[in-house]
Amino acid sequence: MKSLLKLGLAVAILYMALPTDIFAQTQTIDDKYIENDVVSLAGKKGFSFNTKAGDFLLKPYVLIQASGNFNYYDDEDLDLSEVDRVANSGFAIPNALLGFSGKAFGKVTFNFTLNAAKSGGALLQQAWFDVNMKESLRLKVGKFKTPGHQAYLVTLGETLFPSLPSSLTTRVNIPYSLNAVNPVFATGFDLGIELHGLINRKWDYGIGLFNGTGIDVNTAGKTMSDDHKWLPSLLYAGRLAFMPKGEMPSYQGNPDDLTNDKMLFALSTSYNVESESESTNDFRAGLEFAWLKDRWYFTVEGYWLNMKFTKRQQIAKAYNFWGAYAQVGYFVTDKMQLAARYDWYDRNGTNKKGVMNMPAAGFNYFFSNFNLKLQVMYQYMGRTGHATQLDRDNDALNMPMHSAIAMLQYSF
């Protein structure tokens, strides 16, 4: 809270110090690279401050999400009186974001975001600046989204569902003696540097170096690799996307854009050297397809994880995992969007039988005049093909069999 107060005071001082013009709510932001990965800024939400010379612009924004959650768990036939089938239920604040985006001197764009719903290092969600040498060559430095996974790269407040696919966010299962170092597919936000750009408005690329420690860590604590001499123990990540019909919007359905036609194909890969407490080397690869066509939105992703323990762990065996999902949205009215998703997850690895399948359905309603959005979803967790009942039960650990979310979001 003190950080938020200090940030508000700093903005007030900046506003009084600069000769500013306050833009009306309909003012269009004149630089598409003033981005924040939280809410859309261009043309319709909130207000901005800029110098009369036009060499500096500051755009504040807010995203608040409040949700009601219900989760019902399988008791795994434990038959214990203290086992709670209903858990992790009630009300929550998934995100309470306050941020500022802007540009300076026609070359640099920047963003800073605090998330009051988080603690520790995750309180700082983003902090970066981007040097725009030209559209095809830009350099971003700080804390931001790593290149990979369409589900993460879309704008946070404009997703099709209130929760990401479980296959992206749930840790894999390996033998219990080793389960303290089990990774997830998504690398999310991280500290690093990225070279990226848009070529001919059809090819989008990003190549970066990151700590590989995720959103919870804001300090430098990496070493050199023992297995790969002269290679720093960092996350090496890259993504290449082809958009044959022009640049793909960053939302998964927008009531103000019901006549568009855009398509995206993408490949991504990463190698996290000495990740998971310096005990594993994790290689990830992914495929993406997304299509926005009038009232329809469709996306499908597949991803692979090869997890190999470092030599000093004296475990020769490598573990391989895969996941995938497909989802579709359709605006039945100008304000209501129906959504469906099917999620697959080989959580226990390819060396064991059994796959998780998680169908979900929901709808989104947009109160456009008030910048409000209601999202409702239900998801079922199924399991199939396991060799034993124990394997089937282990796959479900810490995951609800039935889950429902109703989330109301406000943004400006």
Side-chain angles (χ1 to χ4, degrees), residues 9 74 257 296:
L9 180 61
D74 188 351
D257 185 12
W296 290 92

Side-chain angles (χ1 to χ4, degrees), residues 160-161 252 291 295-300 325-330 337-342 360 362:
L160 192 58
F161 284 90
Q252 296 180 331
W291 187 19
R295 294 175 176 266
W296 290 92
Y297 178 84
F298 177 77
T299 185
V300 59
Y325 74 89
Q327 62 185 21
V328 62
Y330 178 72
Q337 182 186 34
L338 299 182
R341 181 169 72 202
Y342 209 98

Side-chain angles (χ1 to χ4, degrees), residues 289-321:
F289 170 74
W291 187 19
L292 177 67
K293 175 64 174 176
D294 298 331
R295 294 175 176 266
W296 290 92
Y297 178 84
F298 177 77
T299 185
V300 59
E301 283 194 67
Y303 21 88
W304 180 271
L305 168 64
N306 174 270
M307 173 183 165
K308 186 174 179 61
F309 282 87
T310 57
K311 291 178 182 178
R312 66 170 174 258
Q313 299 296 321
Q314 298 182 2
I315 302 171
K317 191 172 185 177
Y319 294 86
N320 294 284
F321 309 88

Side-chain angles (χ1 to χ4, degrees), residues 23-168:
F23 283 78
Q25 187 164 344
T26 57
Q27 175 67 33
T28 299
I29 303 301
D30 60 356
D31 190 335
K32 70 175 182 178
Y33 293 126
I34 303 177
E35 56 197 25
N36 57 58
D37 296 324
V38 176
V39 297
S40 293
L41 296 184
K44 62 179 182 179
K45 297 178 180 176
F47 54 92
S48 304
F49 307 100
N50 77 306
T51 58
K52 291 183 178 180
D55 56 354
F56 183 88
L57 183 144
L58 183 70
K59 169 71 179 180
Y61 59 87
V62 166
L63 175 71
I64 301 172
Q65 295 175 330
S67 67
N69 303 269
F70 175 81
N71 291 292
Y72 180 92
Y73 293 81
D74 188 351
D75 64 4
E76 314 303 347
D77 294 324
L78 294 176
D79 197 24
L80 299 176
S81 59
E82 65 268 20
V83 173
D84 290 325
R85 291 199 173 201
V86 176
N88 300 321
S89 299
F91 297 100
I93 301 292
N95 291 288
L97 299 164
L98 171 63
F100 304 90
S101 290
K103 68 174 182 177
F105 311 113
K107 284 292 184 182
V108 179
T109 56
F110 57 88
N111 182 61
F112 175 79
T113 311
L114 291 177
N115 192 346
K118 306 298 181 182
S119 60
L123 178 65
L124 178 65
Q125 189 208 46
Q126 300 178 69
W128 53 261
F129 61 89
D130 199 356
V131 181
N132 300 273
M133 291 166 278
K134 55 182 179 179
E135 188 171 55
S136 61
L137 187 62
R138 299 159 60 195
L139 184 67
K140 181 180 285 189
V141 179
K143 188 176 188 179
F144 51 93
K145 290 181 180 180
T146 54
H149 301 304
Q150 177 74 7
Y152 263 95
L153 295 177
V154 298
T155 305
L156 176 61
E158 297 180 316
T159 58
L160 192 58
F161 284 90
S163 68
L164 292 168
S166 298
S167 58
L168 271 177

Side-chain angles (χ1 to χ4, degrees), residues 64-284:
I64 301 172
Q65 295 175 330
S67 67
N69 303 269
F70 175 81
N71 291 292
Y72 180 92
Y73 293 81
D74 188 351
D75 64 4
E76 314 303 347
D77 294 324
L78 294 176
D79 197 24
L80 299 176
S81 59
E82 65 268 20
V83 173
D84 290 325
R85 291 199 173 201
V86 176
N88 300 321
S89 299
F91 297 100
I93 301 292
N95 291 288
L97 299 164
L98 171 63
F100 304 90
S101 290
K103 68 174 182 177
F105 311 113
K107 284 292 184 182
V108 179
T109 56
F110 57 88
N111 182 61
F112 175 79
T113 311
L114 291 177
N115 192 346
K118 306 298 181 182
S119 60
L123 178 65
L124 178 65
Q125 189 208 46
Q126 300 178 69
W128 53 261
F129 61 89
D130 199 356
V131 181
N132 300 273
M133 291 166 278
K134 55 182 179 179
E135 188 171 55
S136 61
L137 187 62
R138 299 159 60 195
L139 184 67
K140 181 180 285 189
V141 179
K143 188 176 188 179
F144 51 93
K145 290 181 180 180
T146 54
H149 301 304
Q150 177 74 7
Y152 263 95
L153 295 177
V154 298
T155 305
L156 176 61
E158 297 180 316
T159 58
L160 192 58
F161 284 90
S163 68
L164 292 168
S166 298
S167 58
L168 271 177
T169 58
T170 305
R171 293 193 174 276
V172 302
N173 272 340
I174 54 178
Y176 284 137
S177 61
L178 309 174
N179 241 353
V181 294
N182 45 350
V184 297
F185 275 101
T187 50
F189 289 91
D190 211 334
L191 296 173
I193 183 170
E194 180 186 28
L195 192 67
H196 65 121
L198 182 65
I199 301 174
N200 295 330
R201 300 192 178 276
K202 291 185 177 181
W203 294 93
D204 182 73
Y205 73 93
I207 304 172
L209 295 176
F210 303 88
N211 277 345
T213 49
I215 195 171
D216 294 319
V217 179
N218 294 324
T219 56
K222 305 305 295 238
T223 65
M224 298 297 291
S225 171
D226 290 333
D227 291 355
H228 309 287
K229 299 302 181 182
W230 309 110
L231 184 65
S233 57
L234 298 171
L235 171 66
Y236 304 81
R239 179 176 181 267
L240 178 65
F242 174 58
M243 299 168 288
K245 299 184 178 184
E247 192 171 0
M248 185 79 174
S250 61
Y251 45 76
Q252 296 180 331
N254 187 320
D256 297 324
D257 185 12
L258 300 181
T259 59
N260 210 337
D261 186 7
K262 293 291 188 294
M263 190 175 292
L264 176 144
F265 303 87
L267 299 171
S268 63
T269 186
S270 67
Y271 189 49
N272 200 351
V273 178
E274 291 196 358
S275 64
E276 306 300 318
S277 302
E278 300 184 0
S279 61
T280 67
N281 296 307
D282 301 337
F283 173 79
R284 295 172 173 86

